[in-house]
Amino acid sequence: MTDPTKTAKASNGADEQRWIENDGLLRDEGVLFGMSGGDVAAKLAVIEHYFARQIREAEQECRLAEERLETAQQSLSQQQELMQERRREWQELHTRLTLAAHDFLRATVGMVLYGGVIALVYFLLYDWLKPYWPRHTGLIVAGVYGFGMLSLFQRGSFLYAGNRPNAGTESGEASAETEAARPPEQWKVMLEEVGVPAVTALLAVVWGWPDHTPAQGVAMYLFLFFAFLFTGKGFLNNIVRVTASLRAVGDNFRQRKWRKRRLAELTKLQAEDEQVLKARTEAARVLEEKRDLLPDAEQLRLQCLTKQELFRSEYILANEARGVLTLEEVLSVRPEQAN
């Protein structure tokens, strides 16, 4: 419960200082105090103390209002920056799409064509050697065919091992690994890539030479040589290209899907951001209006000085007329003199 004594004291204090707010009562107080010859400094201090409390309250309220307004403006600025970033991202995704380059179609067509040539070479070689190998023809042709067509991609040959030391020490093993890691010499590469197709084609042609004309033999040799030299390598290279292209195609598909989903998210976020921006703008505007309606500390200081000057002028007037006029005469003549 509220203490009646404190309430009464507060009420009395407010009543006692009501003369400061009312200019008429302030003049009367100055006249009465001047006629009594009191200390004007004490009264001026009362007026200053009265306004000092209001000034402190006004400064505190203004500071709190400024802090709330600054917080709201910062939140508004952050929302605007976020909207700009999302708008830039939307424009970038909408206008530019960077996809991985690939040649899936070309590599696939090349792989199919190389596969067809490889199948043709196998059956052609099968018919060429079948009269001389009536038994196990398929296995023999497959062996010759595989060696000539695909041996170019075997990397386990001793030609690539380098010079290994005889000792089995740790240093010898490290040296052997270093030698194995070195690229092969040029003559070794040429021997494998050109020599193997040449020898394999020569074997097949010489074996079937008696039953064919020289022109057919030369043509068969050239065909098998170039088929073994390029077709197998081209087929396997296109397999690698198709595999890499499939990864690129998959990445591009996922990127398009992510781009579509992200654009939909950004479009939805833009609508939500507009509502948030509108709400924060309104909140900042309301806080700014409330701040502008708060009492101004500088105006209160000027009002304090005005009240003090008004009280001092009435005090001086009454104090000078104290020995000549009565209180009633001073009060009756004061407004006219004041005017």
Side-chain angles (χ1 to χ4, degrees):
M1 295 180 62
T2 305
D3 190 353
T5 305
K6 293 183 180 180
T7 304
K9 287 182 180 180
S11 178
N12 293 335
D15 293 339
E16 290 177 358
Q17 294 181 350
R18 187 181 301 171
W19 60 272
I20 300 176
E21 300 177 355
N22 189 293
D23 289 346
L25 295 178
L26 180 66
R27 290 190 179 97
D28 294 340
E29 188 72 17
V31 171
L32 292 175
F33 209 65
M35 294 297 294
S36 64
D39 185 8
V40 67
K43 279 293 186 179
L44 293 177
V46 171
I47 296 175
E48 184 177 1
H49 177 73
Y50 174 77
F51 280 98
R53 178 176 54 81
Q54 296 184 16
I55 290 171
R56 287 195 303 271
E57 293 176 354
E59 290 177 342
Q60 183 177 4
E61 291 179 359
C62 184
R63 184 171 60 255
L64 293 176
E66 288 289 348
E67 291 177 356
R68 288 193 292 266
L69 179 59
E70 183 178 359
T71 302
Q73 290 176 345
Q74 289 178 354
S75 178
L76 178 61
S77 177
Q78 292 174 357
Q79 181 64 23
Q80 291 174 342
E81 292 177 358
L82 178 61
M83 291 179 64
Q84 291 177 357
E85 291 178 0
R86 288 175 175 171
R87 190 175 296 110
R88 285 194 296 268
E89 182 182 359
W90 186 90
Q91 292 176 350
E92 184 176 358
L93 289 176
H94 186 72
T95 56
R96 185 178 67 181
L97 178 62
T98 304
L99 299 176
H102 64 86
D103 53 353
F104 175 74
L105 181 61
R106 182 176 180 180
T108 303
V109 173
M111 184 180 66
V112 172
L113 293 178
Y114 276 118
V117 174
I118 287 175
L120 173 64
V121 172
Y122 177 83
F123 289 109
L124 182 63
L125 187 62
Y126 185 90
D127 291 338
W128 184 274
L129 296 178
K130 184 177 181 181
Y132 308 100
W133 299 96
R135 298 182 59 187
H136 310 296
T137 305
L139 293 177
I140 294 173
V141 173
V144 175
Y145 176 83
F147 178 72
M149 186 70 71
L150 304 175
S151 64
L152 301 175
F153 299 91
Q154 300 299 323
R155 290 294 181 247
S157 173
F158 70 94
L159 294 174
Y160 297 92
N163 298 323
R164 297 178 181 271
N166 295 327
T169 60
E170 294 181 358
S171 60
E173 293 177 358
S175 177
E177 292 178 358
T178 304
E179 291 291 337
R182 294 177 181 176
E185 298 177 7
Q186 187 67 25
W187 69 269
K188 297 179 180 180
V189 177
M190 295 299 296
L191 180 62
E192 182 189 23
E193 293 193 354
V194 179
V196 171
V199 171
T200 307
L202 182 62
L203 173 65
V205 171
V206 169
W207 207 270
W209 185 271
D211 294 337
H212 299 85
T213 64
Q216 291 176 339
V218 172
M220 186 64 176
Y221 175 79
L222 292 176
F223 179 78
L224 290 177
F225 173 72
F226 284 104
F228 289 158
L229 185 62
F230 296 108
T231 308
K233 178 183 292 186
F235 180 74
L236 296 180
N237 283 342
N238 276 274
I239 289 178
V240 176
R241 291 171 59 191
V242 168
T243 303
S245 298
L246 281 175
R247 288 195 295 267
V249 169
D251 293 340
N252 292 341
F253 174 77
R254 287 188 292 270
Q255 185 173 355
R256 287 193 181 94
K257 186 177 180 181
W258 173 85
R259 173 177 175 266
K260 182 179 180 181
R261 183 175 65 253
R262 183 58 179 168
L263 284 174
E265 292 177 355
L266 290 174
T267 303
K268 181 179 179 181
L269 289 174
Q270 285 179 0
E272 296 177 356
D273 289 340
E274 290 293 339
Q275 298 296 328
V276 174
L277 180 65
K278 183 178 179 181
R280 293 185 179 181
T281 303
E282 180 65 19
R285 185 189 65 81
V286 171
L287 290 174
E288 188 174 1
E289 290 179 354
K290 290 182 178 180
R291 182 203 61 182
D292 295 338
L293 294 176
L294 292 175
D296 189 4
E298 292 299 326
Q299 292 181 355
L300 290 174
R301 290 189 179 92
L302 292 176
Q303 187 177 0
C304 176
L305 293 176
T306 302
K307 296 286 187 180
Q308 287 178 331
E309 289 299 324
L310 181 61
F311 181 85
R312 184 183 289 109
S313 63
E314 296 295 334
Y315 172 84
I316 293 174
L317 178 64
N319 192 27
E320 291 177 351
R322 183 176 56 178
V324 179
L325 302 175
T326 62
L327 178 60
E328 289 77 6
E329 291 174 341
V330 172
L331 291 175
S332 62
V333 77
R334 177 187 52 77
E336 298 176 359
Q337 294 177 348
N339 294 332

